[in-house]
């Protein structure tokens, strides 16, 4: 009898353990479900649930600061390279297949700058309004920083002369020898203008391989569609179309050679796809076994993505200022409806008052 009771107790404990496991699995399945191949966050999950499963509700500030500093250094290195190579880059334009067909269109440069500005604003809007804005911002800024580092190396390795019809009219006169004061002044000038140059004034020449304008336009054309919610996916075509218009303007204005634009498109698309292909691997063991892990870049990406759930999360837009205003209004409305402390005290006193009449 004792043996039979012991076996029954073991079976009951095993069944209860299985039930607990099933409950845990169903809870996890409720919070995270796979839809159309993407790992999605349930809209009912809270911020604590997101942190528990690894999705960041807030940006890891130290990582974001490091990425911003990295991007700043990459940008300054670009402008420093341009300030250095300007004095010895050639002035005779190279042959280009588009240049031989279409004459120089100076007006197209202004349109290209406008397209770059619009694409940049659209990309910044996505980074600010996305529900996981910390993760998205860190990813995009890191990708841009890597591309600018690649661009600095290419500028220093091979210098291409500007493609304008009259480079002597467009380019500033080169200095006969290196001047540190002029060098620093050029860097500060480019930093203040964020890399833009006035086409109506003489410019620093040699800023060619590969195109920085195309870099920004293409990264915007990739970022906006990737992080837009599905119901707004048609809006993702706007930066794509604008980026193609901008690339055409860069070539026909002879701001860049055709090869500059082509290389910029290839490099930007490649780095963006590599980063997000690594992020979309659905488990950490698969990431460790992936061929992408052998790239040194993916080691840095692995550190940046350490607290983010593997896979592609659901894209949702969130308006921080509007949400804060709604919380303030809700709090004020709740306080106005709730009785004050004085009313509560008077109610308690009236309820506990006992009148004693003389006999």
């Amino acid at each position: 009898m004792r043996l039979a009771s012991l076996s029954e107790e073991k079976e009951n404990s095993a069944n209860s353990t299985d039930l607990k496991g099933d409950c845990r699995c169903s809870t996890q399945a409720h919070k995270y479900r796979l839809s159309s191949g993407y790992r999605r966050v349930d809209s009912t999950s809270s911020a604590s649930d997101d942190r528990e499963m690894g999705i960041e509700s807030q940006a890891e500030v130290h990582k974001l600061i490091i990425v911003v500093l990295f991007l700043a250094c990459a940008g300054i290195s670009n402008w420093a390279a341009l300030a250095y190579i300007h004095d010895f880059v050639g002035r005779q334009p190279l042959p280009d297949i588009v240049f031989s067909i279409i004459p120089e269109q100076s007006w197209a440069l202004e349109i290209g700058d406008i397209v770059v500005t619009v694409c940049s604003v659209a990309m910044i809007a996505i980074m600010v309004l996305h529900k996981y804005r910390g993760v998205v911002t860190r990813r995009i800024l890191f990708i841009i920083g890597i591309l600018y580092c690649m661009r600095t190396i290419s500028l220093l390795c091979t210098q291409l002369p500007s493609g304008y019809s009259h480079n002597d009219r467009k380019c500033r006169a080169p200095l006969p020898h290196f001047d540190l004061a002029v060098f620093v002044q050029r860097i500060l000038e480019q930093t203040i203008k964020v890399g833009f140059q006035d086409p109506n004034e003489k410019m620093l020449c040699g800023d060619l391989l590969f195109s920085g304008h195309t870099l920004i336009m293409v990264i915007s054309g990739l970022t906006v569609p990737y992080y837009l919610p599905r119901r707004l996916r048609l809006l993702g075509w706007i930066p794509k179309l604008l980026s193609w218009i901008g690339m055409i303007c860069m070539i026909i204005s002879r701001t860049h050679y055709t090869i500059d634009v082509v290389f910029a498109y290839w490099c930007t698309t490649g780095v963006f796809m590599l980063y997000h292909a690594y992020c979309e691997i659905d488990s950490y063991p698969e990431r460790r076994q992936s061929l992408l892990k052998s790239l040194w870049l993916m080691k840095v990406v692995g550190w940046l993505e350490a607290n983010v759930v593997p896979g592609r999360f659901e894209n949702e837009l969130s308006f921080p200022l509007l949400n804060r205003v709604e919380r303030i209004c809700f709090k004020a409305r709740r306080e106005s409806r709730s009785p004050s402390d004085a009313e509560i005290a008077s109610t308690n006193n009236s309820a506990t008052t006992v009148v004693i009449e003389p006999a």
Side-chain angles (χ1 to χ4, degrees):
M1 296 294 290
R2 183 174 297 176
L3 291 174
S5 61
L6 288 174
S7 62
E8 291 178 359
E9 290 178 359
K10 288 182 180 179
E11 290 178 359
N12 292 334
S13 63
N15 292 333
S16 62
T17 303
D18 293 339
L19 289 174
K20 290 179 180 178
D22 293 340
C23 292
R24 282 196 298 269
C25 292
S26 62
T27 304
Q28 300 296 340
H30 175 69
K31 292 178 182 176
Y32 291 83
R33 62 187 185 273
L34 292 175
S35 177
S36 301
Y38 300 131
R39 185 181 299 274
R40 303 180 62 190
V41 183
D42 198 313
S43 58
T44 59
S45 61
S46 62
S48 60
D49 296 332
D50 292 347
R51 287 192 294 270
E52 178 184 353
M53 296 301 295
I55 291 182
E56 298 178 7
S57 296
Q58 300 295 330
E60 292 179 301
V61 178
H62 67 287
K63 291 183 180 180
L64 186 59
I65 292 174
I66 292 173
V67 169
V68 170
L69 291 176
F70 168 66
L71 176 59
C73 292
I76 293 173
S77 69
N78 248 243
W79 304 324
L82 173 60
Y84 175 68
I85 68 175
H86 169 78
D87 292 323
F88 55 83
V89 71
R91 293 293 185 266
Q92 187 65 30
L94 299 176
D96 186 281
I97 186 171
V98 177
F99 295 178
S100 63
I101 300 173
I102 302 175
E104 181 178 346
Q105 306 294 324
S106 301
W107 55 267
L109 176 56
E110 296 183 5
I111 295 179
D113 288 340
I114 294 173
V115 170
V116 171
T117 303
V118 173
C119 289
S120 300
V121 170
M123 182 170 58
I124 293 172
I126 283 293
M127 291 191 291
V128 172
L129 298 179
H130 199 279
K131 180 180 180 180
Y132 301 109
R133 59 186 62 88
V135 180
V136 175
T137 302
R138 194 173 62 218
R139 288 177 176 178
I140 302 307
L141 295 185
F142 179 74
I143 292 172
I144 296 175
I146 288 294
L147 291 168
Y148 268 108
C149 287
M150 296 168 61
R151 191 167 184 267
T152 300
I153 295 172
S154 67
L155 287 175
L156 294 175
C157 289
T158 303
Q159 292 81 43
L160 301 181
S162 295
Y164 300 114
S165 302
H166 303 283
N167 283 335
D168 293 333
R169 299 179 186 175
K170 291 279 190 178
C171 301
R172 301 179 190 177
L175 298 177
H177 55 81
F178 179 78
D179 190 327
L180 181 60
V182 175
F183 176 72
V184 174
Q185 181 183 359
R186 290 173 178 175
I187 296 175
L188 292 177
E189 178 185 344
Q190 288 296 296
T191 304
I192 293 171
K193 294 181 178 180
V194 200
F196 287 99
Q197 299 195 68
D198 189 354
N200 299 319
E201 299 179 359
K202 289 198 171 185
M203 302 180 292
L204 296 174
C205 292
D207 186 22
L208 295 173
L209 191 64
F210 48 90
S211 170
H213 290 81
T214 304
L215 185 159
I216 297 298
M217 291 185 289
V218 173
I219 197 71
S220 173
L222 294 171
T223 300
V224 174
Y226 187 88
Y227 288 107
L228 267 181
R230 291 186 178 183
R231 64 181 184 276
L232 302 176
R233 62 182 180 273
L234 293 179
L235 295 178
W237 285 98
I238 296 177
K240 286 184 178 181
L241 295 175
L242 288 177
S243 64
W244 283 102
I245 294 173
M247 286 187 283
I248 294 172
C249 289
M250 289 297 106
I251 298 174
I252 64 175
S253 67
R254 300 200 179 183
T255 305
H256 287 282
Y257 293 101
T258 306
I259 193 63
D260 298 338
V261 174
V262 172
F263 271 28
Y265 179 83
W266 285 344
C267 292
T268 305
T269 305
V271 174
F272 184 91
M273 294 302 179
L274 278 175
Y275 192 113
H276 289 84
Y278 181 85
C279 294
E280 289 192 13
I281 299 176
D282 280 334
S283 67
Y284 292 110
E286 290 180 2
R287 283 184 177 180
R288 288 190 292 267
Q289 297 172 5
S290 173
L291 185 61
L292 295 175
K293 191 66 177 179
S294 60
L295 299 174
W296 67 266
L297 178 62
M298 293 301 110
K299 300 184 187 301
V300 182
V301 173
W303 175 71
L304 292 174
E305 301 290 325
N307 294 324
V308 182
V309 170
R312 185 172 179 178
F313 47 72
E314 184 180 11
N315 293 321
E316 297 179 15
L317 298 183
S318 173
F319 300 87
L321 182 60
L322 181 61
N323 293 340
R324 182 170 294 182
V325 170
E326 288 180 352
R327 286 197 297 269
I328 293 173
C329 295
F330 176 76
K331 183 178 179 181
R333 187 163 59 250
R334 185 178 59 184
E335 289 178 352
S336 64
R337 290 180 179 179
S338 61
S340 62
D341 294 339
E343 292 176 352
I344 294 174
S346 62
T347 302
N348 292 337
N349 292 335
S350 62
T352 55
T353 301
V354 178
V355 179
I356 302 176
E357 297 180 355

